[in-house]
């Protein structure tokens, strides 16, 4: 009986050990299942882009790569374009300021149409230039005269038959003169057509002629250090601005319709003068004595265009 009991006891121990060995792998497998289940649960949460046909693993990195590739390329390209655009815009503004905005109605490179008539001119007139030997002059219609901005301008006049003449604007043609019309001196008209024609169609444009003359300055009658009017004479290109140096600062003077620039308070009278043509060129004339109604020569002249 004792041997049988021992046998049964040994068999029982073997059964217990076997069961333990079986149960231990089963517990580990449950943990693995739980871990895999956890991964399976978490995977759909990160895999939501799969609805668009792209997996999270590929979508997330590719999105970052796309952003990274776009941002560096977009940022540098934007900055150069902005930088290059600024100078060109600035240059455009400078050109506008140097030509179109300074020129007024009569602009370089523009052809104007109108008619030509003639009168007995002596070089004097609304621009208050002195009569002289220059017989090839013209009186500009009031619109294009533009309150004396046309004074001193040289224009090339073309007749329908091909004849041409260059005249200097010294006067205004008011009244019946329409925009585009120039009332020429009799001598200038005769170079285009017979005086018997009386009135002919023309085209004309601004020119910058060759000349060996320099610009002269004249103070108006009645000028003093308390009030003065200043006139520039003999400028190759139309004059856009006249400034005087006053207290270390350049001060632009307003232009009267009779072609003098006025300093009502006397500021700058007798000081340095700065002239600017419609092309933006600036010339500085050293201080001149205030000598009313006396033409004083200078050594400056605008460039030919």
């Amino acid at each position: 009986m004792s041997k049988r009991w021992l046998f049964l006891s040994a068999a029982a121990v073997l059964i217990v050990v076997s069961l333990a060995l079986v149960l231990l792998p089963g517990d580990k497998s449950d943990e693995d299942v739980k871990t895999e289940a956890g991964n399976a649960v978490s995977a759909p949460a990160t895999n939501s882009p799969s609805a668009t046909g792209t997996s999270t693993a590929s979508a997330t990195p590719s999105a970052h790569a796309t952003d990274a590739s776009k941002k560096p390329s977009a940022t540098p390209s934007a900055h150069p374009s902005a930088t290059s655009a600024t100078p060109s815009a600035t240059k455009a503004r400078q050109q506008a300021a140097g030509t179109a905005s300074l020129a007024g109605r009569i602009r370089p490179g523009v052809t104007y149409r109108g008619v030509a008539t003639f009168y007995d001119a002596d070089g004097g007139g609304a621009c208050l230039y002195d009569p002289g030997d220059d017989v090839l002059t013209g009186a500009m219609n009031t619109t294009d005269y533009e309150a004396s901005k046309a004074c001193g301008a040289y224009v090339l006049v073309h007749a329908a038959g091909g004849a041409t003449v260059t005249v200097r604007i010294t006067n205004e043609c008011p009244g019946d003169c329409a925009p585009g019309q120039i009332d020429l001196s009799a001598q200038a008209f005769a170079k285009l057509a017979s005086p018997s024609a009386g009135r002919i169609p023309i085209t004309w444009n601004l020119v910058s002629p060759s000349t060996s003359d320099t610009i002269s300055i004249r103070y108006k009658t009645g000028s003093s250090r308390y009030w003065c009017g200043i006139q520039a004479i003999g400028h190759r290109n139309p004059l856009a601005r006249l400034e005087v140096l006053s207290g270390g600062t350049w001060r632009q003077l307003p232009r009267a319709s009779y072609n003098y620039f006025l300093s009502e308070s006397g500021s700058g009278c007798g000081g340095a003068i700065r002239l600017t043509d419609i092309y933006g060129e600036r010339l500085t004339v050293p201080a001149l004595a205030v000598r009313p109604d006396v033409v004083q020569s200078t050594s400056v002249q605008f460039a030919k265009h």
Side-chain angles (χ1 to χ4, degrees):
M1 292 292 293
S2 60
K3 290 182 179 180
R4 186 177 180 184
W5 172 251
L6 290 173
F7 176 78
L8 291 174
S9 297
V13 170
L14 289 174
I15 292 171
V16 171
V17 171
S18 298
L19 288 173
L21 291 174
V22 171
L23 289 174
L24 285 174
D27 293 342
K28 190 174 182 180
S29 177
D30 288 343
E31 291 297 325
D32 290 340
V33 171
K34 289 178 182 179
T35 302
E36 290 175 2
N39 289 342
V41 170
S42 61
T46 58
N47 234 350
S48 56
S50 63
T52 62
T54 307
S55 66
T56 303
S58 61
T60 305
S62 66
H64 287 236
T66 303
D67 292 344
S69 62
K70 283 184 179 179
K71 288 178 182 177
S73 61
T75 304
S77 63
H79 287 295
S81 61
T83 302
S84 60
T86 303
S88 62
T90 303
K91 184 177 181 181
R93 285 195 297 271
Q94 288 174 343
Q95 290 176 342
T99 55
S101 63
L102 292 179
R105 286 184 57 86
I106 303 177
R107 305 178 177 223
V110 178
T111 297
Y112 300 85
R113 296 182 180 277
V115 296
T117 49
F118 67 93
Y119 73 112
D120 292 328
D122 60 4
C127 294
L128 295 189
Y129 296 134
D130 292 333
D133 298 332
D134 183 9
V135 295
L136 300 181
T137 62
M140 186 63 72
N141 67 84
T142 297
T143 300
D144 295 319
Y145 180 78
E146 200 175 0
S148 82
K149 283 187 178 181
C151 286
Y154 288 88
V155 296
L156 177 62
V157 184
H158 302 256
T164 63
V165 63
T166 297
V167 299
R168 184 169 66 103
I169 302 303
T170 61
N171 202 358
E172 177 186 6
C173 179
D176 295 336
C177 281
Q181 182 173 350
I182 303 178
D183 202 18
L184 300 172
S185 64
Q187 295 88 337
F189 188 92
K191 291 184 177 294
L192 300 177
S194 170
S196 61
R199 182 186 183 93
I200 60 171
I202 59 168
T203 59
W204 55 273
N205 57 276
L206 186 68
V207 293
S208 178
S210 298
T211 179
S212 58
D213 295 337
T214 57
I215 298 173
S216 298
I217 298 293
R218 174 164 53 190
Y219 279 96
K220 195 178 187 307
T221 302
S223 293
S224 69
R225 63 189 181 94
Y226 302 106
W227 177 96
C228 66
I230 307 173
Q231 181 186 58
I233 306 168
H235 41 87
R236 173 187 273 125
N237 306 318
L239 193 61
R241 293 174 181 160
L242 187 149
E243 299 165 281
V244 292
L245 188 61
S246 177
T249 303
W250 289 105
R251 177 191 171 201
Q252 183 177 343
L253 299 184
R255 190 176 196 167
S257 60
Y258 50 83
N259 196 34
Y260 272 86
F261 294 82
L262 306 180
S263 178
E264 299 286 356
S265 64
S267 298
C269 294
I273 299 170
R274 188 163 71 180
L275 308 172
T276 305
D277 69 4
I278 63 171
Y279 298 97
E281 182 181 2
R282 289 175 176 172
L283 303 175
T284 300
V285 178
L288 298 172
V290 180
R291 301 171 60 193
D293 204 26
V294 174
V295 176
Q296 302 185 62
S297 61
T298 74
S299 60
V300 299
Q301 181 58 274
F302 293 119
K304 188 178 185 297
H305 290 266

